[in-house]
Amino acid sequence: MTSHAWNFMTSFLTYETNKSVVVKSWSVGIINRLVQLLIISYFVGYVFLYERAYQVADTAIESSVITKVKGFGKINSKIMDVADYIHPPQGEGVFSIITNIITTDNQVQGTCPEKDTKITGVCNTPVGYCEIEGWCPAEDDKKNTTTMAEFVNFTIFIKNSIRFPLFNVSRGNIQGDNFKCRYDKLTDSFCPIFRVGYILNELQQDVEKLASEGGEIGIKVEWICNLDEALDSCVPRYSFTKLNSPFEKNKVSKGYNFRFAKYYKALDGTDFRTLHKAFAVRFEVMVTGTARKFSLIPTVINVMAALTSIGMGTVLCDLVLLNCIKGAAQYKEKKFEEVSEAMIRAALTPRNTCSSDSLPLCNLRETGKIS
Ligand SMILES: *[C@@H]1O[C@H](CO)[C@@H](O)[C@H](O)[C@H]1NC(C)=O
Ligand SMILES: *[C@@H]1O[C@H](CO)[C@@H](O)[C@H](O)[C@H]1NC(C)=O
Ligand SMILES: *[C@@H]1O[C@H](CO)[C@@H](O)[C@H](O)[C@H]1NC(C)=O
């Protein structure tokens, strides 16, 4: 029993280490080093420098946008100011500048012929029109109008404040108090005031067409921040995009328009209204962002992954060594030492019975000096 325990102890208290075979071959050596170089440059160049795997990223940006438009224009020879052409008036991140209006004055409830040739009501009039019941006279949206060409000179001021919740970092897009600047991607790319004409020019929009049919334009505010650098380098970048480009070829829903009415009461108590069909350029301020900062955990994980992957080189070299090159069988013999049971048994039966007092003689006999 005690001897069993002793045997267990001696077999447990051991250390195993791998036996290595050093292959002195140029071709395999070159392949080995090349594969290692490839893996190291992948990790250093792509994973660490390009993907910045040593940082954690926060993409859940919190943002608030306030806009303010300035300028005067004329639609159908009526002067329009901000209160007339901006919808909705609250100065949100999404707003429309009305550039063309078809007005239908003095509409009252009643029955009247439909101007549109589409048949929507009872067709009992001899002239070929159908009669509708509703607000009369009906709207004639083929009417000639003059659009507000001056809107290219309007300015849009954007105030944007953001926060990266993971790092508790807040930033704003206004530096200093220079409110005379105009955004220009080359000369003044941090200015938060945009001339509409500049945006349309950047997007190569047909201004006439846009003014008469309406459209949708996106102003992108992108915050890419590396918080390992100075906080002052965390600034927004602006760009513009046509939001209705997927529908440009579409005949049905080109442009952008909406209707609204103003209601009045006559002295005799009947209601009447002025209907407006407004064609507008809809602006949408879109804020996106990513902040990155050094973090120990992803760094350690990625360094470990890199070190482990360098060992992958041996898999490829083994494949070449044991299958593809001259003398592969010999290399295989060296790498995989075969041990059979017969060999073990031979090793276990003592060849010489040497007692401890005749040990020197035994050694001599084994080495063949005497027989
Ligand atoms: C609208 O103007 C065009 C030319 O600008 C003219 O040919 C057309 O007759 C006008 N239509 C109406 C209804 O006045
Ligand atoms: C825009 O402003 C410029 C200079 O102030 C002026 O020359 C131009 O006529 C204006 N454009 C429109 C369409 O009013
Ligand atoms: C976030 O930062 C502000 C100052 O920039 C500080 O007053 C506030 O306590 C911070 N909040 C947290 C949760 O650390």
Side-chain angles (χ1 to χ4, degrees):
M1 190 63 209
T2 45
S3 82
H4 270 123
W6 180 251
N7 281 347
F8 174 76
M9 277 302 282
T10 44
S11 61
F12 178 72
L13 290 177
T14 54
Y15 168 69
E16 285 170 24
T17 181
N18 286 331
K19 180 177 164 184
S20 300
V21 180
V22 177
V23 180
K24 298 211 165 167
S25 152
W26 275 64
S27 46
V28 180
I30 287 171
I31 290 172
N32 181 32
R33 295 299 173 213
L34 269 183
V35 170
Q36 283 181 348
L37 193 74
L38 218 69
I39 291 167
I40 289 172
S41 44
Y42 165 76
F43 271 95
V44 170
Y46 182 76
V47 175
F48 281 93
L49 294 183
Y50 182 73
E51 288 278 297
R52 304 226 192 110
Y54 57 90
Q55 291 177 321
V56 280
D58 183 7
T59 52
I61 185 171
E62 295 168 353
S63 155
S64 118
V65 172
I66 292 172
T67 59
K68 192 161 237 150
V69 180
K70 279 188 177 165
F72 289 95
K74 268 186 184 173
I75 299 181
N76 302 330
S77 63
K78 269 192 209 147
I79 294 278
M80 307 282 284
D81 69 5
V82 178
D84 299 316
Y85 61 70
I86 290 290
H87 267 259
Q90 285 88 349
E92 295 168 20
V94 181
F95 61 94
S96 301
I97 298 179
I98 296 171
T99 52
N100 187 12
I101 297 180
I102 294 171
T103 46
T104 312
D105 291 317
N106 300 325
Q107 282 189 320
V108 292
Q109 297 262 302
T111 55
C112 51
E114 169 82 279
K115 291 271 173 21
D116 212 329
T117 49
K118 273 187 306 198
I119 296 165
T120 56
V122 192
C123 299
N124 57 0
T125 50
V127 276
Y129 285 125
C130 292
E131 199 151 78
I132 56 153
E133 191 174 0
W135 290 96
C136 291
E139 178 186 72
D140 174 16
D141 62 5
K142 305 279 181 294
K143 228 178 353 193
N144 274 354
T145 53
T146 57
T147 58
M148 183 162 68
E150 297 86 356
F151 87 114
V152 295
N153 277 344
F154 291 3
T155 57
I156 301 168
F157 167 63
I158 294 174
K159 191 170 137 192
N160 176 214
S161 61
I162 58 127
R163 183 171 168 269
F164 289 107
L166 185 64
F167 307 120
N168 189 23
V169 166
S170 300
R171 299 289 292 162
N173 70 328
I174 303 165
Q175 289 137 353
D177 44 16
N178 174 17
F179 290 107
K180 290 221 155 55
C181 68
R182 291 289 175 274
Y183 175 84
D184 187 307
K185 71 177 175 195
L186 300 175
T187 58
D188 206 345
S189 62
F190 296 126
C191 179
I193 301 172
F194 303 83
R195 204 179 137 259
V196 173
Y198 181 87
I199 298 173
L200 301 185
N201 192 33
E202 284 288 294
L203 293 175
Q204 296 171 335
Q205 279 274 10
D206 180 346
V207 176
E208 294 269 295
K209 191 161 173 274
L210 191 69
S212 67
E213 287 177 358
E216 292 170 85
I217 283 168
I219 301 176
K220 288 199 273 186
V221 186
E222 195 178 26
W223 296 82
I224 304 288
C225 295
N226 185 353
L227 298 178
D228 294 334
E229 291 170 6
L231 200 57
D232 283 343
S233 65
C234 180
V235 288
R237 240 172 293 150
Y238 303 101
S239 59
F240 314 108
T241 164
K242 286 187 220 180
L243 293 178
N244 55 346
S245 49
F247 305 110
E248 251 164 19
K249 302 265 184 305
N250 214 326
K251 275 219 168 69
V252 189
S253 72
K254 60 181 175 186
Y256 173 63
N257 64 68
F258 56 89
R259 287 185 174 82
F260 62 95
K262 287 172 182 161
Y263 296 87
Y264 311 93
K265 208 178 250 311
L267 284 176
D268 65 358
T270 54
D271 288 321
F272 66 99
R273 72 173 193 186
T274 302
L275 177 68
H276 302 265
K277 182 180 184 183
F279 296 86
V281 183
R282 186 172 178 272
F283 288 89
E284 197 162 335
V285 182
M286 299 174 292
V287 182
T288 57
T290 309
R292 294 173 168 280
K293 197 175 191 174
F294 172 79
S295 172
L296 193 62
I297 293 168
T299 308
V300 169
I301 289 173
N302 282 293
V303 168
M304 296 306 275
L307 294 179
T308 315
S309 304
I310 289 171
M312 291 293 290
T314 51
V315 175
L316 190 74
C317 290
D318 276 2
L319 221 65
V320 172
L321 189 68
L322 303 176
N323 298 299
C324 304
I325 67 168
K326 227 171 85 184
Q330 280 71 30
Y331 285 122
K332 213 177 254 177
E333 218 165 76
K334 286 282 181 204
K335 185 169 163 65
F336 302 107
E337 220 173 285
E338 278 180 22
V339 181
S340 66
E341 267 186 49
M343 283 163 75
I344 301 288
R345 227 176 287 128
L348 283 177
T349 47
R351 262 178 288 161
N352 299 294
T353 44
C354 295
S355 61
S356 55
D357 46 271
S358 62
L359 203 58
L361 201 68
C362 272
N363 285 347
L364 283 176
R365 200 180 294 140
E366 268 189 46
T367 51
K369 292 244 169 85
I370 54 170
S371 55

